[in-house]
Amino acid sequence: MKVVIIGGVAAGMSAASKMKRLLKDQAEIVVYEKGEEVSYGACGIPFYISDHIRQGSELIARTAEEFAKSGIPVKTWHEVTDVDTEAKTVTVKNLKSGEVFTDSYDKLVVGSGAGVRHFPPFDKEYGNLYEIRNVADGTRVKKALLEEKTENVVIVGAGFIGLEVSEACRHYGKSVTIVELAPHILPAFDTEVSEALEAELTKNGVAVRTGTLVKELVAENGTITAARLECKGADGQVQTEEIPVDFLINSAGIAPCTDFIRNVEKAKNGAICVNERMETSVKDVYAAGDCSIMHSAITGQYQYAPLGTNANKQGRIIGDILGGATPKPFKLIGSSALRLFGMDAAKVGLSEKDALAAGLDFKVNTITGNSYANYYGKEKLNIKLIYDAKTRVVLGAETWGQGIVVPRANYYAIAIYAGLTVDEMGFMDLCYSPPFSGVWDAALIASNTAK
């Protein structure tokens, strides 16, 4: 059996590694990666930029050479430009030499990831326009931030990467402005969480422009000097503003890299639709990671969840299936978290916005509680709990504040996985010690006060 894998990062290399362990030399595996780096932790790049992680190499789990020694050849700088699913062939371009050739497969794994969206005015190249998708991008940004001439940093897009990079830029003492088209930063979260994080940004010297469009970039000799912004004022009239730019990071969303394969079922954003076995609509073609989309375990609707945690699990499932093993069950519920200056925030399952969009009959309970026993520490956190109005089954939770924040969200992730009700969750036998919680943990209080 010959397996061709497109993409050498989380999903692709997880699939390859698992297959190799199960099949050893019974399968021929070849990986095509259009970049130079493989198997790196993209989520760690903002912390590499901030110098919390000193060397970019620390983010790379294994190099292409190390994979080759283990019997998995990885051809970097090789881009798959076309897939013929009937002939079971891929067309590949060597980006170094320009050579184009065809390779065949018995099974195809698509783990091509996603790229930054290059919509106007970010569809042209400028000397000081950056994006962050790999470690090399992080190195370029880090070097630019070390230059004294770089003072005014503009970040377009207030998702996870954009927000985390804003903190990294403030670490170097830069003047930072975040521009977000949506009404609030971190649009995947509910409004109250976004507002709390916006306040944290403002407190730490980051200017936030929400509901704002970057209409135009002003440039001289290929270098951006200013950004012209457009937004609606309180009176409904369009207002314009021009802000100085020494350094601009485009972090305004991503698009799945799937143009090279046409006859598989795709979602509106171009992500390849897969089932719980990561199978596409075409026989012998699998997809995983940021280039794919699968059904939510909560709503049953397709949910795009481009996170490294999901990519690794999905790749492992493919490796098990092609290696002849029974894969472990994976339920996509959508779990994410971030730390922004002095505040942590997390979301598992559905937000209130998600539940409304899905047309569910649900209730909401929000509390502010203690991260620790109240005589041990004064840090507070907030918990917003979403649950089914009739069955009282937990549908989602958001946590934000100081202290032990993300672990409380993880409690609810487990509750969603297990199908627990708020009443069962309210009497969960959790560990107790004053440095970790009060006798009644905040997560138990949020569950027990759900009416």
Side-chain angles (χ1 to χ4, degrees):
M1 178 175 69
K2 182 176 180 180
V3 181
V4 169
I5 298 175
I6 303 172
V9 192
M13 299 321 299
S14 290
S17 299
K18 186 63 173 179
M19 271 189 286
K20 189 63 180 177
R21 286 195 294 271
L22 291 171
L23 297 176
K24 297 182 170 54
D25 295 328
Q26 296 177 46
E28 179 186 355
I29 302 170
V30 60
V31 180
Y32 292 111
E33 166 55 49
K34 69 178 181 180
E36 180 181 14
E37 302 161 348
V38 301
S39 197
Y40 57 84
C43 295
I45 295 172
F47 307 102
Y48 164 50
I49 293 172
S50 70
D51 222 29
H52 183 82
I53 298 168
R54 304 306 297 272
Q55 301 294 326
S57 57
E58 296 178 52
L59 297 175
I60 298 175
R62 294 173 73 185
T63 64
E65 292 75 20
E66 289 170 332
F67 277 110
K69 288 179 182 178
S70 69
I72 303 173
V74 181
K75 299 184 182 297
T76 56
W77 298 116
H78 281 67
E79 181 179 7
V80 173
T81 59
D82 188 66
V83 176
D84 186 333
T85 57
E86 291 187 4
K88 287 193 169 184
T89 60
V90 295
T91 302
V92 187
K93 182 177 182 179
N94 184 324
L95 299 178
K96 290 288 190 180
S97 68
E99 175 195 6
V100 177
F101 61 92
T102 300
D103 199 1
S104 61
Y105 66 85
D106 296 309
K107 307 286 184 181
L108 178 67
V109 178
V110 182
S112 50
V116 176
R117 296 166 59 209
H118 296 139
F119 53 84
F122 309 107
D123 53 347
K124 298 178 183 178
E125 292 188 4
Y126 298 95
N128 57 342
L129 174 59
Y130 298 83
E131 58 187 47
I132 301 170
R133 290 301 292 167
N134 54 41
V135 180
D137 290 338
T139 299
R140 285 189 285 270
V141 169
K142 191 171 187 175
K143 286 181 177 178
L145 287 171
L146 289 170
E147 296 180 6
E148 289 187 11
K149 66 178 182 180
T150 301
E151 181 180 349
N152 298 299
V153 178
V154 175
I155 300 171
V156 182
F160 290 97
I161 295 295
L163 294 179
E164 290 168 342
V165 171
S166 75
E167 181 174 354
C169 293
R170 287 295 295 154
H171 171 78
Y172 294 94
K174 308 301 180 183
S175 174
V176 181
T177 301
I178 292 177
V179 182
E180 170 58 50
L181 185 59
H184 295 285
I185 66 170
L186 211 61
F189 282 58
D190 280 328
T191 302
E192 53 265 59
V193 187
S194 298
E195 289 177 345
L197 290 168
E198 284 180 33
E200 185 68 15
L201 286 166
T202 301
K203 185 175 76 173
N204 286 278
V206 177
V208 181
R209 303 281 197 280
T210 53
T212 301
L213 172 71
V214 178
K215 186 68 175 179
E216 185 181 357
L217 297 175
V218 180
E220 295 178 6
N221 301 318
T223 299
I224 303 167
T225 59
R228 289 179 179 149
L229 311 182
E230 185 176 281
C231 67
K232 286 188 177 181
D235 58 0
Q237 297 298 310
V238 174
Q239 299 178 349
T240 59
E241 177 186 6
E242 185 170 297
I243 59 174
V245 175
D246 296 316
F247 184 101
L248 193 146
I249 299 173
N250 177 16
S251 186
I254 58 174
C257 299
T258 60
D259 288 347
F260 57 85
I261 184 167
R262 290 174 296 280
N263 63 332
V264 292
E265 181 186 355
K266 297 180 184 180
K268 288 182 179 180
N269 70 343
I272 300 171
C273 299
V274 299
N275 60 20
E276 70 280 358
R277 291 172 58 85
M278 306 305 127
E279 295 167 325
T280 71
S281 58
V282 175
K283 182 177 172 56
D284 296 328
V285 178
Y286 299 78
D290 294 3
C291 67
S292 70
I293 187 170
M294 64 183 296
H295 292 287
S296 162
I298 304 171
T299 66
Q301 300 171 1
Y302 276 116
Q303 179 180 358
Y304 186 53
L307 293 168
T309 50
N310 297 329
N312 277 282
K313 295 182 184 78
Q314 292 166 336
R316 182 70 65 87
I317 289 170
I318 294 173
D320 278 330
I321 290 170
L322 296 184
T326 301
K328 294 179 180 178
F330 171 52
K331 297 179 182 180
L332 179 66
I333 64 171
S335 299
S336 55
L338 85 161
R339 170 165 291 172
L340 191 59
F341 295 101
M343 180 172 289
D344 293 349
K347 172 180 176 286
V348 298
L350 305 184
S351 65
E352 184 175 2
K353 289 189 295 188
D354 295 334
L356 282 169
L360 301 180
D361 183 13
F362 67 95
K363 290 184 177 181
V364 177
N365 186 43
T366 304
I367 69 156
T368 298
N370 297 309
S371 273
Y372 316 106
N374 58 8
Y375 51 80
Y376 183 89
K378 300 304 180 184
E379 289 89 343
K380 299 285 186 180
L381 82 154
N382 306 280
I383 298 177
K384 182 175 183 178
L385 181 58
I386 313 295
Y387 56 101
D388 187 279
K390 293 185 176 65
T391 66
R392 298 177 63 79
V393 167
V394 178
L395 299 174
E398 290 168 287
T399 60
W400 68 101
Q402 287 78 36
I404 303 176
V405 176
V406 176
R408 264 63 185 243
N410 282 333
Y411 295 163
Y412 284 108
I414 295 169
I416 295 168
Y417 240 74
L420 299 182
T421 66
V422 290
D423 306 298
E424 291 169 321
M425 182 66 193
F427 267 65
M428 181 71 68
D429 187 10
L430 301 177
C431 294
Y432 158 66
S433 182
F436 306 107
S437 75
V439 173
W440 287 97
D441 188 276
L444 302 185
I445 294 171
S447 301
N448 285 327
T449 54
K451 303 301 183 184

